[in-house]
Amino acid sequence: MTSAVFPGRYTSLESISEFVIQAAQHAGLDDAAVYAVQLAVDEAATNIIEHGYGGEDLGEIGCQCEIVAEGLRIRLEDHAPPFDPQAVAQPVLNVPLEDVRPRGLGLFFIHKMMDEVQFDFSPEGNTLTMLKRR
Amino acid sequence: MTSAVFPGRYTSLESISEFVIQAAQHAGLDDAAVYAVQLAVDEAATNIIEHGYGGEDLGEIGCQCEIVAEGLRIRLEDHAPPFDPQAVAQPVLNVPLEDVRPRGLGLFFIHKMMDEVQFDFSPEGNTLTMLKRR
Amino acid sequence: MEITTTEYKNCDVIHPIGRVDSAGAPQLEAAINAVTQLGRHKIVLDMSEVTFVSSAGWWVLIGAQKNCKKHRGEVVLACIETGIRASLKLVGMDDYFRIYDEMTAAVGNI
Amino acid sequence: MEITTTEYKNCDVIHPIGRVDSAGAPQLEAAINAVTQLGRHKIVLDMSEVTFVSSAGWWVLIGAQKNCKKHRGEVVLACIETGIRASLKLVGMDDYFRIYDEMTAAVGNI
Ligand SMILES: Nc1ncnc2c1ncn2[C@@H]1O[C@H](COP(=O)(O)OP(=O)(O)O)[C@@H](O)[C@H]1O
Ligand SMILES: Nc1ncnc2c1ncn2[C@@H]1O[C@H](COP(=O)(O)OP(=O)(O)O)[C@@H](O)[C@H]1O
């Protein structure tokens, strides 16, 4: 298991990506799966900064990568206020260009890219656990 | 010295080029000089076919390449009727596009590309001797 | 992110290098705006050296496409890496862009 | 000589492979005529795989340039090998063509 803590700002996204890409490669994921992991983690970390902390440099993001029998398990941790993922509306897709509204693709990507996605909220912090199968 | 005889047709131009390129490279000419030799010989051989024999497959073209102290000497031989190179008008260059007339670039290229150019005509045949310095 | 813009007679080519994530998307947006503010709305995005695009990047491109189409122009994408392209297709947004495998085709068809 | 023609929205790209000598020039002429006969007169000549051009080849290109300009079009040359380009310059004929080092620039500027 590898873990690291990153400052909650957008320039951390590249370092976070590098960190998870390396773990994903070590876990033996193929190129498409590595890209999927990178995308899910980038979207999740962006949400923590943008929606969780409500801006840059207001908190940290912990990241743990664990190679498991099925593939790669990734855990993102933050100390922002909790939110209700169930309450988030699905993005409106497959509509004419003029009707596209720029919102709501992040969670959609996370769910599409990963095989298991679980949000946990507790007084000690929030955890997003994601599994990508090999 | 290498020599070869080619049928007087346009598809021979590629073989003639390959033959003189090889000699030019053996003679130690640089890339620009090799291209110059190729261009001069191509124009001269085209003229032999087009203007000398007056068409394809009406005679042969002999080619001799000799590596000399100064560089490469090339001799092209044919048995077409003689002509008077002095009587050929210079091409009209550096005029507006509309005024360009598609004639007379061949001999111009031959003289520009080679350091020495000499036409000899005799009952035994015509010889064009050209020297490209190293 | 490093971004080069080249103005041709028929279109502008924007060539970003690196990741178009939440950090890079605003830079890409600025580069696109710099072109459209000149009244030029035919833009080829040379994606050959883009390694990653997050939703933040796609929203910039969607916004640019809307704006350019309004001005009788277009954003076309060229040379997109497979993973990036797959994620675009997944959300059905590849329908919003003409996508070319070669820059020549992109620039020739815009 | 092998010649490929690709039709784009803005122009046609003609891509000959090999030598444009007295044997190849008529083929190139035919390929150009096939395009102009469709009423298309913006032609980019991709010279990247042309190894040689004799006066026979230049006359074809000069003729094509005259014809295309008459029809508000143009022949532009791209990716010309140094020796070929030097011989064109030598006879002052490089002034008759816009010449680009890259296909993207040629197609973008025609
Ligand atoms: N980490 C988070 N903390 C708080 N709210 C979040 C978080 N992640 C997502 N959300 C909520 O879910 C919504 C949808 O998020 P997402 O799908 O990433 O799209 P977007 O960020 O474009 O709105 C957000 O607008 C926000 O309200
Ligand atoms: N080998 C030759 N035999 C007879 N006439 C020739 C020969 N080479 C050149 N000429 C004459 O010189 C003229 C100019 O030749 P050149 O400069 O090659 O241009 P072009 O072939 O386009 O006329 C020819 O039109 C022809 O009259």
Side-chain angles (χ1 to χ4, degrees):
Chain A
M1 191 170 79
T2 54
S3 68
V5 176
F6 302 89
R9 64 174 78 118
Y10 296 133
T11 51
S12 295
L13 294 171
E14 181 159 4
S15 324
I16 296 174
S17 269
E18 281 163 10
F19 180 72
V20 297
I21 285 173
Q22 193 160 35
Q25 285 167 342
H26 281 159
L29 302 189
D30 66 21
D31 287 352
V34 171
Y35 190 86
V37 165
Q38 181 185 4
L39 183 52
V41 170
D42 187 282
E43 298 290 351
T46 295
N47 280 349
I48 290 170
I49 299 167
E50 185 180 1
H51 303 299
Y53 291 123
E56 293 189 88
D57 292 316
L58 296 169
E60 294 178 325
I61 301 171
C63 182
Q64 284 175 25
C65 297
E66 189 182 355
I67 298 172
V68 294
E70 307 97 296
L72 180 70
R73 173 167 294 132
I74 298 172
R75 201 180 304 255
L76 290 182
E77 293 169 340
D78 67 77
H79 294 86
F83 77 107
D84 180 5
Q86 308 296 334
V88 174
Q90 286 284 312
V92 184
L93 300 173
N94 302 308
V95 294
L97 179 65
E98 315 82 62
D99 301 335
V100 181
R101 291 291 158 266
R103 281 286 90 176
L105 214 51
L107 284 180
F108 182 81
F109 268 135
I110 294 170
H111 283 281
K112 281 285 184 184
M113 292 291 152
M114 303 304 269
D115 296 302
E116 289 177 17
V117 175
Q118 195 191 324
F119 286 93
D120 294 296
F121 305 95
S122 83
E124 293 88 64
N126 313 316
T127 313
L128 167 58
T129 310
M130 302 180 283
L131 176 77
K132 184 70 184 176
R133 290 192 214 286
R134 201 171 283 112
Chain B
M1 191 171 79
T2 54
S3 68
V5 176
F6 302 89
R9 62 174 80 118
Y10 296 132
T11 51
S12 295
L13 294 172
E14 181 159 4
S15 323
I16 296 174
S17 270
E18 280 163 12
F19 180 70
V20 297
I21 286 172
Q22 193 160 36
Q25 284 167 342
H26 282 158
L29 302 189
D30 65 21
D31 286 352
V34 171
Y35 189 86
V37 165
Q38 183 185 3
L39 183 51
V41 170
D42 187 282
E43 298 290 351
T46 295
N47 280 350
I48 291 171
I49 299 167
E50 186 180 0
H51 304 299
Y53 292 123
E56 294 190 86
D57 292 316
L58 296 170
E60 293 181 326
I61 301 172
C63 181
Q64 284 176 23
C65 297
E66 189 183 354
I67 298 172
V68 293
E70 308 97 297
L72 180 70
R73 172 167 295 131
I74 296 172
R75 201 179 305 255
L76 290 183
E77 292 168 341
D78 66 77
H79 294 88
F83 78 106
D84 181 4
Q86 309 295 334
V88 175
Q90 287 282 312
V92 183
L93 301 171
N94 300 307
V95 293
L97 178 65
E98 314 84 61
D99 302 334
V100 181
R101 291 291 158 268
R103 281 284 90 177
L105 213 53
L107 285 180
F108 182 81
F109 267 136
I110 293 169
H111 284 281
K112 282 284 184 183
M113 292 292 152
M114 304 305 267
D115 295 303
E116 289 176 20
V117 176
Q118 196 193 320
F119 286 93
D120 294 296
F121 304 95
S122 86
E124 292 88 64
N126 313 316
T127 313
L128 167 59
T129 311
M130 303 178 282
L131 177 76
K132 184 70 183 174
R133 288 192 215 288
R134 204 171 279 111
Chain C
M1 201 170 45
E2 209 178 294
I3 305 180
T4 319
T5 301
T6 312
E7 181 179 319
Y8 296 123
K9 210 182 110 202
N10 303 331
C11 64
D12 286 75
V13 171
I14 297 182
H15 179 217
I17 300 182
R19 289 167 48 87
V20 187
D21 56 17
S22 298
Q27 292 170 253
L28 179 60
E29 189 165 27
I32 292 173
N33 287 343
V35 169
T36 55
Q37 274 158 20
L38 298 172
R40 298 177 59 86
H41 294 91
K42 289 180 164 199
I43 298 177
V44 174
L45 234 101
D46 178 352
M47 308 275 282
S48 58
E49 294 186 81
V50 170
T51 53
F52 176 78
V53 183
S54 72
S55 61
W58 293 126
W59 293 131
V60 165
L61 293 179
I62 290 282
Q65 184 69 300
K66 284 186 186 182
N67 178 33
C68 286
K69 291 222 161 167
K70 235 182 272 163
H71 292 85
R72 297 148 149 264
E74 187 178 355
V75 174
V76 311
L77 310 181
C79 311
I80 309 185
E81 188 265 325
T82 359
I84 299 176
R85 188 160 178 168
S87 66
L88 185 65
K89 197 176 166 64
L90 184 79
V91 292
M93 300 214 305
D94 57 341
D95 289 346
Y96 300 142
F97 300 95
R98 284 196 288 159
I99 299 177
Y100 293 96
D101 290 339
E102 286 187 1
M103 280 301 294
T104 312
V107 169
N109 285 317
I110 197 170
Chain D
M1 201 170 43
E2 207 179 297
I3 305 180
T4 321
T5 301
T6 312
E7 179 178 321
Y8 296 124
K9 208 181 112 204
N10 303 329
C11 63
D12 287 74
V13 171
I14 296 182
H15 179 218
I17 300 183
R19 289 167 50 86
V20 187
D21 55 17
S22 296
Q27 291 172 253
L28 179 59
E29 189 165 26
I32 293 173
N33 287 344
V35 170
T36 55
Q37 274 158 17
L38 298 172
R40 299 177 58 88
H41 293 92
K42 291 183 162 195
I43 297 176
V44 173
L45 233 100
D46 178 352
M47 308 275 282
S48 58
E49 294 185 80
V50 170
T51 53
F52 177 78
V53 184
S54 73
S55 60
W58 294 126
W59 293 131
V60 166
L61 293 178
I62 290 282
Q65 184 69 302
K66 283 187 185 182
N67 178 33
C68 287
K69 290 224 163 164
K70 234 180 274 164
H71 293 85
R72 296 146 151 265
E74 187 178 355
V75 174
V76 312
L77 310 180
C79 311
I80 309 184
E81 187 265 325
T82 0
I84 300 176
R85 190 161 175 166
S87 66
L88 186 66
K89 197 177 167 62
L90 184 79
V91 291
M93 301 216 303
D94 57 341
D95 290 347
Y96 300 141
F97 300 96
R98 287 196 288 159
I99 299 178
Y100 292 95
D101 290 339
E102 285 187 2
M103 280 301 294
T104 312
V107 170
N109 286 317
I110 198 170

